[in-house]
Amino acid sequence: MNSHPFLNPVMLPAWSELTPERASADIREAVKQAQASIDAICSVTEPTYANTFAALESASEPLHRAWGRLMHLDSVNDNAAQREAIAELMPEVVVFSSSIALNPRLWQVLKHAAAQPWVAGLSPAKQRFIQETLADFRESGADLPEDKKARYAEIETELSLATKQFSENVLDSTNAWEHIVTDESELAGLPDSAREAARLNALAKGYGTEEAPQWRFTLQFPSMSPVMQFADSDSLRKTLWEGANTIGSGEQYDNAALIAKILDLRQEKAEMLGFANFADYTTSRRMAGTGANALRFIDTMHEKVHPKFIEEQETVRRYKERITGQPAERLNPWEIGYWSEKQRKELYDFDSEELRPYYSVPNVMKGLFDIYSTLYGIRVTERTTAWREPGSSEPLPEGAVEVWHPEVLFYDIHDTATGDHLGSFYADWHPRDSKRAGAWMNCLQTGLPPMDGQPRIPHLGLMCGNMTKPVGAAPALLDHREVETVFHEFGHLLHQLLSDVEVKSLAGTSVAWDFVELPSQINENWCWERESVNLYGRHYQTGETIPDALFAKMLAARNYQSATACMRQLSFGKPDLELHTRLDRYRGRDLEEIDREILADYRMPNPIEAPSVLRRMTHLFADSTGYAAGYYSYKWAEVLEADAFSRFLKEGVLNPAVGADFRRCILSKGNSKPAAELYRDFMGRDPDPDALLIKTGIIA
């Protein structure tokens, strides 16, 4: 065992050694080492790039490594002892991190170094790093008067603790809810795969027997989504809808007060730094430029989408009236998905569940790798994995990579032309009680290209999700939306692992937040092109590709309710920007009242109002910044990807030359150039603002 496993600089962590008991000593040692490195920079009198900016970048690397490992385990392996350790350590880590930009001597040294004549002789990437670092310091309070720096540090600590509590409330309230069905007739309409998954889930939790089965449903997406889409039982759908409304709600887990506190702290922080509001603070170095510009983007999209949205929702309401023979003045929230799916099936003779047998996880992963190996000149290979109990000293099998859970897989990526090991990644796809909801990519180690005679340092990343689990002897069979999610997260991963930037802080996904979703969202397009889908859309038993008739139906139904889907995303981005630009208008008011006011024109009237989804929006409130004042980025980046993919459509969806350009111009460059320049490098022009609405059929 390593004496400081969280600090161990090896590329592949020994996850079984990363226990809560070891975290405290390791994190505190990392803070101590980082502080010593900062102190060394403060003593510099003759600045060079190496002893100032390069030294600053590496100063906190052990802390970032240790804290990153601990926070990753918090996402995938939540437990009481670990929570306690994080709660104890987080204030210390935040105080240290905040102190860097608030250190007057360090700031003096860096500004002095940045003014030296040798800066002009540095590479463009290093010059950009200097300018980005100076901007980071200013936006982190470096220019604040001394009497305000202490309050700034307090704000950072309070934000970290409040957002962590928000996240825990969401996880705990999700896990606290379950619904057991004992009457099989209640399951009418549900796909067999969803029924069987619910039966096995119940057995695993001690409900029912093989002879007298019961069915357990949870608020995890693979459990809840089929019910809301397919279950004929109105009461079952209503029960799960009501269950979802308990997330982040109720006396024990209510996030409303935390949301108000987080918003106040963010506004205070922004004003302290000279910004009118938090949205202006977060967007100042993004493509949008200001919170007002981001809000104008959302409002403009809403104006264009709204007529089609109303038309789509009215069509579903009239469809229910026709089928039931009963008046339906309004649809209940738990009816919309069900009747929409019914109508889609009638209009296009398309049942999305027919695709599931063609989307086994092994086939999807293999096809995924084949597609991007062709496009980007890479080779992906799987390695043997092994799991050990935390604290275990049992030796690993020879050549095996240790993982944090038995379901986790591991892969290497090599460059086909050079043979270079570009990076590696873990994949953890299925839900469990100790794992947070959603899907995400994260970076555990940022590598470097070969430099100054030194070999390449590979990147290390991971992809996590909550996809459908295997049922019985069959492999995990995904629905089409889950396949898109796999492709999406792999896009983020490639953005990180194919990065070729000489400065770690500018590498990979460290780009403007409203550009970061371009490499992920463009990948979803390869889930709709016959040439690419044939590489993974194969029946798990026969190996046959998706039949032509079924594929044609899938394409025909692709833009069904596209305006509704777009409006859903806008309905997340609108309150995000409203609250982060105009907080005075909403401060002190009831969260439900605020929600109804902001989104009055973003929803169809329902007989029953749902509690605000903001209570469970971890994107906005589970991180000190995260996607706060940045949820608009999804639609912003969709405009970019719809336009950028037009080049693949024109020149070939599996064209290695276009893929090489995308890798060279976008994926490899990180933040070494402004995002708008990177886009123009690939497309030769600025993006078409209507590309997404044209692609989705919302406008002609």
Side-chain angles (χ1 to χ4, degrees):
M1 280 205 175
N2 188 280
S3 58
H4 290 292
F6 281 92
L7 292 173
N8 192 343
V10 294
M11 179 178 177
L12 304 180
W15 297 102
S16 58
E17 295 182 19
L18 304 184
T19 62
E21 297 74 26
R22 311 291 287 276
S24 296
D26 285 15
I27 299 298
R28 289 188 172 114
E29 173 62 24
V31 171
K32 180 181 176 182
Q33 292 180 14
Q35 186 61 64
S37 298
I38 295 296
D39 292 343
I41 301 170
C42 291
S43 68
V44 167
T45 55
E46 296 184 12
T48 65
Y49 178 81
N51 66 16
T52 56
F53 288 94
L56 176 66
E57 186 184 38
S58 62
S60 297
E61 195 164 294
L63 177 58
H64 291 158
R65 181 187 306 118
W67 190 247
R69 290 171 178 177
L70 181 58
M71 295 312 293
H72 168 63
L73 288 172
D74 180 55
S75 296
V76 297
N77 189 31
D78 176 69
N79 61 75
Q82 190 168 270
R83 280 191 185 189
E84 186 177 338
I86 292 171
E88 176 186 310
L89 291 165
M90 183 172 282
E92 299 176 35
V93 172
V94 174
V95 166
F96 168 75
S97 299
S98 301
S99 73
I100 295 175
L102 302 178
N103 185 324
R105 172 57 187 164
L106 178 63
W107 183 222
Q108 183 182 31
V109 168
L110 293 177
K111 287 192 292 186
H112 180 55
Q116 298 302 307
W118 48 256
V119 170
L122 296 174
S123 67
K126 289 179 178 177
Q127 291 188 47
R128 181 167 174 80
F129 174 57
I130 289 174
Q131 295 308 310
E132 290 287 285
T133 301
L134 296 179
D136 286 340
F137 266 65
R138 292 188 185 98
E139 290 182 10
S140 299
D143 283 333
L144 286 174
E146 287 303 315
D147 60 335
K148 291 188 176 182
K149 287 184 177 180
R151 177 54 189 156
Y152 182 89
E154 288 175 2
I155 290 172
E156 291 292 85
T157 301
E158 290 178 43
L159 270 174
S160 296
L161 293 174
T163 53
K164 182 70 169 63
Q165 184 62 57
F166 182 98
S167 178
E168 289 178 359
N169 285 350
V170 170
L171 178 63
D172 290 347
S173 55
T174 299
N175 289 337
W177 193 93
E178 65 179 8
H179 178 65
I180 308 302
V181 172
T182 57
D183 181 358
E184 189 170 6
S185 65
E186 253 195 286
L187 308 181
L190 269 184
D192 291 342
S193 58
R195 290 188 185 208
E196 183 64 2
R199 185 186 72 83
L200 293 175
N201 188 292
L203 277 174
K205 293 292 182 178
Y207 297 104
T209 64
E210 291 287 354
E211 296 74 23
Q214 296 181 19
W215 297 265
R216 179 176 184 261
F217 295 93
T218 71
L219 302 179
Q220 297 281 2
F221 179 84
S223 179
M224 183 176 179
S225 178
V227 173
M228 304 309 293
Q229 194 172 1
F230 297 107
D232 293 333
S233 169
D234 193 68
S235 64
L236 180 60
R237 283 184 271 107
K238 181 181 178 182
T239 296
L240 265 74
W241 177 81
E242 291 174 338
N245 293 334
T246 67
I247 300 176
S249 299
E251 186 174 339
Q252 187 176 358
Y253 305 115
D254 192 0
N255 274 332
L258 281 172
I259 290 172
K261 180 178 182 179
I262 291 166
L263 289 170
D264 279 338
L265 288 169
R266 287 172 174 167
Q267 179 67 21
E268 183 182 357
K269 173 181 174 177
E271 290 177 1
M272 188 176 285
L273 296 172
F275 293 92
N277 53 64
F278 190 74
D280 281 355
Y281 165 72
T282 59
T283 58
S284 63
R285 289 153 64 201
R286 297 178 182 178
M287 296 182 79
T290 66
N293 286 342
L295 189 55
R296 191 175 302 112
F297 168 75
I298 290 290
D299 289 341
T300 301
M301 289 283 286
H302 172 267
E303 184 181 341
K304 293 179 179 180
V305 170
H306 188 260
K308 186 74 170 177
F309 165 69
I310 296 296
E311 177 188 325
E312 289 176 355
Q313 292 298 296
E314 272 296 298
T315 301
V316 175
R317 185 191 64 78
R318 289 195 298 270
Y319 172 76
K320 183 195 173 186
E321 283 188 333
R322 177 169 65 82
I323 297 299
T324 63
Q326 300 293 324
E329 188 175 334
R330 297 175 180 175
L331 294 184
N332 287 307
W334 57 86
E335 296 181 292
I336 297 171
Y338 174 75
W339 288 107
S340 296
E341 178 62 27
K342 288 280 223 188
Q343 185 189 45
R344 180 171 72 162
K345 190 171 182 180
E346 179 181 291
L347 287 173
Y348 304 102
D349 189 25
F350 174 62
D351 181 351
S352 59
E353 283 295 300
E354 291 183 54
L355 291 169
R356 199 181 284 273
Y358 297 91
Y359 293 151
S360 71
V361 166
N363 281 349
V364 169
M365 296 299 283
K366 182 182 183 304
L368 178 80
F369 300 155
D370 288 346
I371 289 167
Y372 299 108
S373 293
T374 299
L375 285 171
Y376 303 140
I378 58 176
R379 183 178 75 256
V380 185
T381 52
E382 184 175 358
R383 288 173 63 180
T384 303
T385 58
W387 174 79
R388 296 189 294 189
E389 288 278 359
S392 170
S393 58
E394 179 184 348
L396 288 172
E398 186 176 353
V401 174
E402 183 173 347
V403 292
W404 56 84
H405 189 273
E407 293 177 344
V408 177
L409 306 173
F410 187 85
Y411 303 87
D412 291 321
I413 294 184
H414 288 81
D415 186 277
T416 306
T418 66
D420 284 355
H421 179 199
L422 302 175
S424 302
F425 65 98
Y426 303 89
D428 183 357
W429 286 128
H430 304 301
R432 49 186 179 270
D433 290 347
S434 61
K435 184 179 174 187
R436 74 173 172 91
W440 66 97
M441 188 287 298
N442 206 351
C443 175
L444 291 169
Q445 172 179 294
T446 300
L448 288 170
M451 292 187 302
D452 304 323
Q454 298 298 312
R456 178 182 295 276
I457 300 174
H459 303 277
L460 179 65
L462 57 91
M463 295 192 295
C464 293
N466 285 275
M467 270 40 111
T468 301
K469 294 174 71 77
V471 175
L477 302 176
L478 307 181
D479 67 17
H480 191 82
R481 193 184 318 178
E482 290 175 318
V483 174
E484 285 186 301
T485 299
V486 173
F487 273 70
H488 179 105
E489 299 306 332
F490 195 61
H492 281 310
L493 186 86
L494 291 175
H495 195 189
Q496 185 67 41
L497 269 59
L498 301 188
S499 181
D500 231 8
V501 181
E502 63 176 312
V503 180
K504 287 185 179 183
S505 298
L506 301 180
T509 57
S510 299
V511 298
W513 205 260
D514 43 16
F515 190 71
V516 77
E517 295 294 337
L518 166 61
S520 58
Q521 293 191 163
I522 197 171
N523 270 23
E524 296 177 24
N525 289 282
W526 280 277
C527 300
W528 295 94
E529 299 299 322
R530 184 84 217 205
E531 189 177 357
S532 51
V533 172
N534 278 354
L535 295 175
Y536 64 87
R538 294 179 174 273
H539 198 285
Y540 78 100
Q541 291 173 316
T542 67
E544 295 177 357
T545 58
I546 299 172
D548 289 342
L550 178 58
F551 196 85
K553 293 175 186 177
M554 180 183 86
L555 292 182
R558 179 180 184 180
N559 284 337
Y560 172 69
Q561 290 205 337
S562 59
T564 298
C566 183
M567 189 66 78
R568 179 177 180 271
Q569 289 292 94
L570 295 176
S571 73
F572 297 148
K574 176 68 170 177
D576 173 30
L577 286 167
E578 282 284 339
L579 291 169
H580 286 110
T581 56
R582 302 165 177 167
L583 184 58
D584 283 344
R585 181 182 298 184
Y586 306 106
R587 183 183 279 115
R589 294 169 57 187
D590 178 70
L591 183 62
E592 305 308 325
E593 178 189 336
I594 293 170
D595 189 85
R596 288 192 293 271
E597 179 180 317
I598 293 175
L599 295 176
D601 207 28
Y602 285 68
R603 297 176 180 146
M604 292 292 288
N606 289 316
I608 297 177
E609 292 289 345
S612 174
V613 74
L614 293 173
R615 296 174 187 269
R616 47 183 143 135
M617 281 291 287
T618 52
H619 274 71
L620 305 186
F621 299 112
D623 186 276
S624 295
T625 300
Y627 274 86
Y631 204 91
Y632 76 92
S633 303
Y634 282 105
K635 299 315 292 182
W636 186 285
E638 275 191 70
V639 171
L640 300 180
E641 64 84 2
D643 190 48
F645 192 69
S646 67
R647 186 176 165 196
F648 284 95
L649 289 173
K650 181 179 179 181
E651 301 178 41
V653 295
L654 294 180
N655 186 331
V658 184
D661 280 354
F662 194 76
R663 176 180 172 181
R664 175 177 56 82
C665 297
I666 305 290
L667 298 178
S668 71
K669 288 295 188 289
N671 190 25
S672 60
K673 293 172 65 175
E677 287 187 32
L678 297 180
Y679 190 86
R680 285 192 290 270
D681 288 345
F682 177 66
M683 289 297 290
R685 56 169 175 77
D686 289 331
D688 176 358
D690 285 336
L692 174 64
L693 299 179
I694 294 170
K695 169 187 169 182
T696 54
I698 294 174
I699 64 174

